[in-house]
Amino acid sequence: LGLRPKRTLRLVLWTGEEQGGVGAKQYYQLHKENISNFDIVMESDEGTFKPSGLGFAGSAEARDIVREIMTLLQPINVTDVYDTADGTDIAYWMRDGVPG
């Protein structure tokens, strides 16, 4: 389609969450000096299921943007934006103000 993202999209996979979150902590330690480059962090850790939306924690302005983005998923019925988000894998970033 010739589409190119306007920003770098980074997908990170690691192990060790159940052993104290060592993967997430190490990644954060290696990249926290660039935190201003992170617009949002996400994790999927609920297993295999039919999603209905996503949980979000961030400013009201950021929530409005997420809600707008979620309208693009209306054809597959994934439109809910829940009021909370958490997770070992993204907790370090969210603690420092990155929406999750």
Side-chain angles (χ1 to χ4, degrees):
L1 297 173
L3 301 173
R4 303 190 85 184
K6 293 180 182 178
R7 294 175 176 81
T8 299
L9 303 175
R10 185 179 296 187
L11 171 67
V12 181
L13 305 170
W14 56 71
T15 61
E17 179 182 33
E18 283 73 23
Q19 293 77 28
V22 294
K25 183 176 184 179
Q26 179 68 23
Y27 187 81
Y28 173 78
Q29 292 298 327
L30 291 172
H31 298 281
K32 65 183 177 181
E33 68 275 358
N34 296 319
I35 198 166
S36 64
N37 294 332
F38 287 77
D39 294 312
I40 192 167
V41 291
M42 297 178 73
E43 85 169 90
S44 177
D45 195 21
E46 297 291 326
T48 305
F49 63 96
K50 183 180 182 222
S52 61
L54 57 84
F56 178 78
S59 70
E61 180 182 11
R63 180 176 297 282
D64 289 343
I65 293 168
V66 169
R67 281 194 176 120
E68 185 176 336
I69 292 168
M70 293 301 286
T71 64
L72 298 172
L73 299 177
Q74 193 164 16
I76 60 171
N77 255 352
V78 181
T79 56
D80 291 334
V81 179
Y82 304 106
D83 290 336
T84 60
D86 63 1
T88 303
D89 297 331
I90 60 175
Y92 295 104
W93 303 98
M94 290 176 57
R95 181 194 67 210
D96 285 350
V98 178

